[in-house]
Amino acid sequence: CDNMCSFCVVPYTRGRERSRDSHSIVNEAAELFNNGYREVTLLGQNVDSYKWENEITGEKVNFAELLEKVALLNPELRVRFSTSHPKDITDEVLYTMSKHENICNYIHLPAQSGNTRVLEIMNRTYTRDWYMERVDAIRRILGDECGISSDMIAGFCTETEEEHQDTISLMDYVKYDFSYMFMYSERPGTYAAKKFKDDIPEAIKKRRLQEIIQKQKELSWQRNQLDLNKIHKVLIEGISKKSEEQLQGRNSANKVIVFPRESFKPGQYVNVLVTDCTSATLIGRAVEEQEITI
Ligand code: SF4
């Protein structure tokens, strides 16, 4: 990763960003598909800044173009990607997603904080307004159904109560489907460890984290309610964790859906009518598309 977020060790442990030859990525995805795989994830610390150039021919491929090349391999191959940095995700990527049904309608867009001053000392290189504008672009181009998730840090150095509330209000604005939520803990060798005092008492960090978790629970529940009584195309992943009689898979927005096993098998696509939900899981039954009119 070429970014230097002040809390993060990745740039020290993993080194500088490299963009792999696009042909090797497309070939690898094609081989996986031919071997029976039905989902690939283009993975990088910061996939949106992918930029490959062939020094001899001058051929250039950016992330939106790479995404499209992989999506065009076969409509039965689902394509996901992670992680997007809010400063780098472009409208071109969003339009490419909207063009191909097999590029999953889901974006992991870590905010880390909802407050511009905190984002600045985290060295995230975007502001709250910039982040909100990117979310507006996602909603405009990909609609409300696009799943969005985040990473959030509670109690970063010097974070005030008002700044913590900005994180909560950003969550309300975006309506995340889910989030990975942590209390700040200092990582040796990072800029924050060297330059900032880890000055928020543990009890306050814990309480702020609890508020973030509680907010996310409410939002996940609300978001899952919107999926009720709709048919979702599910790629079956395997037996449900809770019952041998149930299968589980994911819809395009990366939500886990559980439904009766019948004679379906992992790796198949199935249309599932969602009839119930918890804040973590959608529950339904397989249907023929024409069986239901919504
Ligand atoms: Fe890079 Fe992500 Fe670490 Fe920031 S948090 S330095 S973007 S890996």
Side-chain angles (χ1 to χ4, degrees):
C1 183
D2 281 358
N3 298 308
M4 291 297 270
C5 302
S6 59
F7 52 80
C8 180
V9 286
V10 168
Y12 306 100
T13 55
R14 302 291 301 273
R16 300 298 300 249
E17 180 178 288
R18 297 175 297 277
S19 294
R20 262 182 64 187
D21 182 328
S22 67
H23 299 282
S24 84
I25 297 171
V26 174
N27 290 342
E28 196 178 323
E31 202 181 314
L32 289 167
F33 183 77
N34 292 334
N35 287 333
Y37 291 86
R38 289 296 172 265
E39 184 175 301
V40 294
T41 302
L42 303 180
L43 191 64
Q45 295 296 343
N46 185 9
V47 280
D48 293 84
S49 67
Y50 176 87
K51 210 176 189 78
W52 175 74
E53 183 170 358
N54 183 322
E55 282 170 12
I56 300 161
T57 62
E59 180 190 3
K60 285 183 185 166
V61 180
N62 68 17
F63 184 64
E65 292 160 341
L66 177 70
L67 202 50
E68 177 150 74
K69 283 175 194 289
V70 177
L72 286 172
L73 284 171
N74 195 300
E76 292 289 292
L77 179 68
R78 271 191 172 174
V79 188
R80 298 190 185 276
F81 58 93
S82 190
T83 297
S84 293
H85 194 295
K87 81 173 158 56
D88 291 318
I89 190 161
T90 60
D91 284 2
E92 191 188 356
V93 166
L94 304 179
Y95 282 116
T96 304
M97 290 173 73
S98 72
K99 224 166 93 187
H100 299 279
E101 194 263 340
N102 58 328
I103 302 179
C104 291
N105 211 13
Y106 163 66
I107 299 174
H108 183 54
L109 195 69
Q112 311 293 4
S113 165
N115 175 268
T116 296
R117 187 194 71 86
V118 176
L119 288 169
E120 202 178 322
I121 58 170
M122 287 178 164
N123 198 30
R124 291 289 291 172
T125 68
Y126 53 85
T127 61
R128 176 188 172 93
D129 286 348
W130 171 279
Y131 187 94
M132 287 162 97
E133 190 281 327
R134 290 292 74 206
V135 170
D136 293 347
I138 293 169
R139 295 290 178 226
R140 188 173 67 245
I141 298 166
L142 294 166
D144 264 354
E145 310 78 46
C146 182
I148 306 181
S149 59
S150 185
D151 298 339
M152 290 298 187
I153 297 175
F156 189 64
C157 315
T158 71
E159 183 190 69
T160 66
E161 210 50 46
E162 291 70 36
E163 289 166 342
H164 161 65
Q165 287 306 323
D166 281 348
T167 296
I168 303 277
S169 71
L170 182 73
M171 293 174 78
D172 266 328
Y173 183 84
V174 181
K175 299 196 170 32
Y176 294 111
D177 291 271
F178 57 93
S179 294
Y180 301 96
M181 298 157 284
F182 311 92
M183 256 180 353
Y184 174 63
S185 80
E186 200 172 83
R187 295 282 179 266
T190 56
Y191 186 87
K194 285 182 218 149
K195 302 280 179 189
F196 306 142
K197 192 159 173 259
D198 182 9
D199 60 348
I200 308 297
E202 181 94 356
I204 294 182
K205 281 186 192 170
K206 269 195 186 146
R207 195 251 306 145
R208 288 182 190 169
L209 178 63
Q210 270 321 310
E211 287 173 12
I212 290 172
I213 290 172
Q214 185 52 38
K215 174 53 68 184
Q216 185 54 59
K217 239 183 172 167
E218 289 163 25
L219 293 173
S220 297
W221 170 256
Q222 283 171 25
R223 290 286 294 171
N224 283 354
Q225 292 289 310
L226 300 177
D227 290 326
L228 292 177
N229 304 316
K230 289 182 185 154
I231 294 173
H232 300 252
K233 186 177 171 184
V234 174
L235 177 58
I236 305 173
E237 294 181 354
I239 308 284
S240 136
K241 285 181 199 126
K242 293 208 175 128
S243 160
E244 289 270 308
E245 299 310 310
Q246 306 273 322
L247 290 173
Q248 72 173 48
R250 281 169 205 269
N251 69 1
S252 180
N254 207 29
K255 293 204 185 157
V256 174
I257 304 189
V258 173
F259 57 97
R261 188 169 179 173
E262 300 178 49
S263 52
F264 300 110
K265 302 235 164 10
Q268 276 184 322
Y269 288 102
V270 60
N271 289 317
V272 175
L273 174 70
V274 169
T275 51
D276 201 357
C277 71
T278 65
S279 59
T281 312
L282 301 175
I283 300 153
R285 63 178 170 86
V287 290
E288 297 292 330
E289 193 124 25
Q290 55 273 37
E291 196 184 312
I292 304 279
T293 328
I294 294 169

